[in-house]
Amino acid sequence: MKTSKMLRITTITMLMLLFVAAGSVFAQQKQPGGWKANMPAKYKTMKGKGDVAAGKELYIKHCKSCHGPKGLGDGPKAASMKTFPGDFSGSKFQSYSDGELYYITVIGYEEMPAYEKKVTDDEDRWALVAYMRSLKK
Ligand code: HEC
């Protein structure tokens, strides 16, 4: 009798621990749907001024390794990514708003790293956006 009660308590405790562990795993996962589903509405219409030449220098330093010299997604690191980094010259990419490009660059999503801590100056962030715009075909 005593052992079966012990067994029951142990089983219940184990199950509870399992639920807690499973819960924390799910909580760490980003919401599905990529950046669009996670982006706060305020970014969509955000605008800023950025210098294309300054953006180019920042791009070469931080982005070229994956996105390639012309933003075609053909940088040397792109091959080791699960996802294609995108074609910055294409019409789908260029249809994103400035604020959306800013959001992706600063906050990141999935395999796209966040640059919030590496590019801290707001003018530099907008310079990157301006440079990505200049890559249009
Ligand atoms: C380590 C590789 C890597 C670096 C470095 C990197 N990116 Fe990305 N980026 C990615 C990948 C991979 C994706 C696609 C992610 C996905 O779709 O899940 C992406 C996506 C993007 C997108 C969205 C593309 C689209 O077509 O939707 C933008 C904008 C972007 N990156 C900008 C930048 C900028 C600006 C920098 C530099 C400040 C940068 N990235 C640096 C890997 C990188």
Side-chain angles (χ1 to χ4, degrees):
M1 193 63 179
K2 241 189 179 167
T3 27
S4 83
K5 194 176 178 187
M6 279 275 282
L7 206 68
R8 239 188 307 155
I9 291 170
T10 314
T11 312
I12 290 168
T13 313
M14 299 268 277
L15 276 173
M16 273 162 60
L17 281 173
L18 199 72
F19 277 121
V20 171
S24 65
V25 167
F26 283 120
Q28 271 166 25
Q29 276 177 354
K30 288 187 194 164
Q31 278 178 43
W35 59 270
K36 259 197 182 161
N38 296 289
M39 183 181 77
K42 65 167 186 181
Y43 284 97
K44 174 122 192 164
T45 51
M46 250 167 86
K47 286 217 169 285
K49 263 195 175 301
D51 180 58
V52 179
K56 183 175 184 175
E57 277 185 33
L58 289 160
Y59 180 88
I60 289 169
K61 184 174 173 205
H62 296 290
C63 325
K64 197 180 139 192
S65 58
C66 289
H67 287 284
K70 297 213 157 85
L72 300 178
D74 56 355
K77 269 202 224 159
S80 59
M81 301 269 117
K82 273 183 272 157
T83 353
F84 174 60
D87 174 2
F88 291 180
S89 73
S91 56
K92 181 179 172 272
F93 179 85
Q94 292 293 338
S95 73
Y96 298 156
S97 74
D98 285 356
E100 286 174 330
L101 294 181
Y102 178 98
Y103 172 79
I104 296 170
T105 303
V106 177
I107 308 298
Y109 70 102
E110 283 147 51
E111 284 188 297
M112 167 59 202
Y115 282 86
E116 204 167 14
K117 297 202 176 86
K118 283 192 190 139
V119 182
T120 50
D121 190 316
D122 217 41
E123 238 175 81
D124 285 348
R125 294 170 174 179
W126 287 113
L128 279 164
V129 172
Y131 182 66
M132 286 189 275
R133 280 275 174 251
S134 78
L135 296 171
K136 190 177 170 184
K137 245 183 244 151

